Amino acid sequence: MLKQTMTAATVIAGSLFSVNALAVNCAGLPTWNSSSAYTGGQQVQHAGNAYTASWWTQGADPATNSGQWQEWKLDGACDGGSSSSSSSSSSSSSSSSSSSSSSSSSSSSSGAGGNCPNYVAGSSYAYGDTVSNAGSYFRCDVAGWCSTGAAAYEPGVGWASSYAWSPISASECSGGTGSSSSSSSSSSSSSSSSSSSSSSSSSSGGMKVVGYMPSWSGNVNNIQYGKLTHINYSFVLPNGDGSLQGVPSPSKLQSLVSLGHQHGVKVQIAVGGWNDGNDSAFETLAANAGSRTNFVNNLINLVNQYNLDGVDMDWEYPDPGASADNYALLMDQLARELHSRGKILTAAVVALGWAGEGVKAEVFDDIDFLNLMAYDGGNGSTHSPYSYAVDSLSYWVNRGLPRSKAVLGVPYYARPSWAAYNSKVGQNSANACRDSDGSDWWNGIPTIRQKAELARTQAGGIMTWELSQDTGGSNSLLTAMYEAVNGMPGSFNCN
């Protein structure tokens, strides 16, 4: 529920830009504004150069935040102006990353052991693959992040290592990459067997259909309210003292609540989001009883002010340990205050892996349901395949989450381009019925239906990031999702 703020998550930028940037015609390009929010693919001009946003970002100056793993990609100088300064910066950054990878390789060869192969930056790793690095052993949890080659995700060394890899013992080494395939296949087969045995006792009634609506994109008048049960307005951000930053586009939220309630749809406020990977405010406020209380009180006031139906917590992500303990305390307190007022509490969580341990099982009693962000598993074919949905559901259910509280998330965007589904269909109408064009990967109607049918028999509903990326016509993903999760035949023929 990288989300692109993403979502869509979890989030890795596009390809490395050329040092010899081309000239760009900047006529008509908006000028970058520090207070505006930009989504992946949006183009701006700034300080004589053109830039494209790599993912959702706000306040990050393109001149100082453009590079392979940064918020912006330099497209070139406007009308042939010089861009050597930015190119030099990128080159330096790339060199630094290369140096880090070299260091990693050296570290691996001196400290490796057991049957785990040495970690090699930039290699392709699948979920469950094991490696040795820096004298320790690790298992890949998120294939896309494991395979990036970025220094931040180097196992046991990079600052974001824990989001991609889990530490393991030498005895758990599998002996090489790819060893998880049979295990994963076995898991999928087991899950399929479970699905067939339980589907007869499942009904389509009570299925949740949840959509996120970003403050910065989309028109609330275009939402297909009749096919939704819940809408999460995204996002309001917290401060470290428990206060809240202002609600973005408050008039849009007011209209959303009014229209949603007219159609019997619950509208919640989503708190947090990817926020460029900065969860420091959550960490700070959750660690103190006073600021936790302040945060809860401020959310209750916000819910009352806008006549909302509840809160969707989108802290990405509490870490296992002290952070997880504080998250549990916060969710317990927030749940008691919301439930006593007849309001609901949900949360968006990572698809699976080590970061998921930051949500302790005791939280399952506090929430009405969890939105499983089963996307951003990688930058290509591993972005959000059906197998990833199966694995995500299995991970949370096996940890004790009731199936009725598991809401499976699906993406309405492609990777690595971050292009919206409606944009892909606009380029080629055939894209509605497939998942890839060879260079980009997304979920077309058949896969969305397949996942929705999985949710109908194995979960409590289905969720998407995000509504403004859908089409409004017969090839709408929301329509396909709604029909399948409710056991209805598909209205759009992909044959």
Side-chain angles (χ1 to χ4, degrees), residues 37 60 69 188 199 223 234 314-315 490:
W69 309 112
S188 296
S199 60
I223 296 175
S234 313
D314 197 356
W315 176 351

Side-chain angles (χ1 to χ4, degrees), residues 13-18 21 24 41-44 49-55 57 62-63 65-76 86 90 417:
S15 59
L16 179 65
F17 63 85
S18 170
V24 177
Q42 285 189 286
Q43 198 174 27
V44 300
N49 291 317
Y51 299 87
T52 296
S54 300
W55 54 77
T57 182
N65 293 277
S66 62
Q68 185 178 10
W69 309 112
Q70 295 182 283
E71 291 89 341
W72 295 94
K73 178 175 73 71
L74 174 65
D75 298 323
S86 294
S90 168
S417 72

Side-chain angles (χ1 to χ4, degrees), residues 191-202:
S191 183
S192 296
S193 174
S194 171
S195 173
S196 62
S197 65
S198 64
S199 60
S200 61
S201 61
S202 299

Side-chain angles (χ1 to χ4, degrees), residues 414-441:
R415 291 195 60 174
S417 72
W418 299 103
Y421 167 74
N422 52 27
S423 175
K424 300 302 296 186
V425 172
Q427 295 167 9
N428 186 340
S429 60
N431 286 339
C433 292
R434 60 187 181 186
D435 292 348
S436 177
D437 54 11
S439 60
D440 225 3
W441 282 262

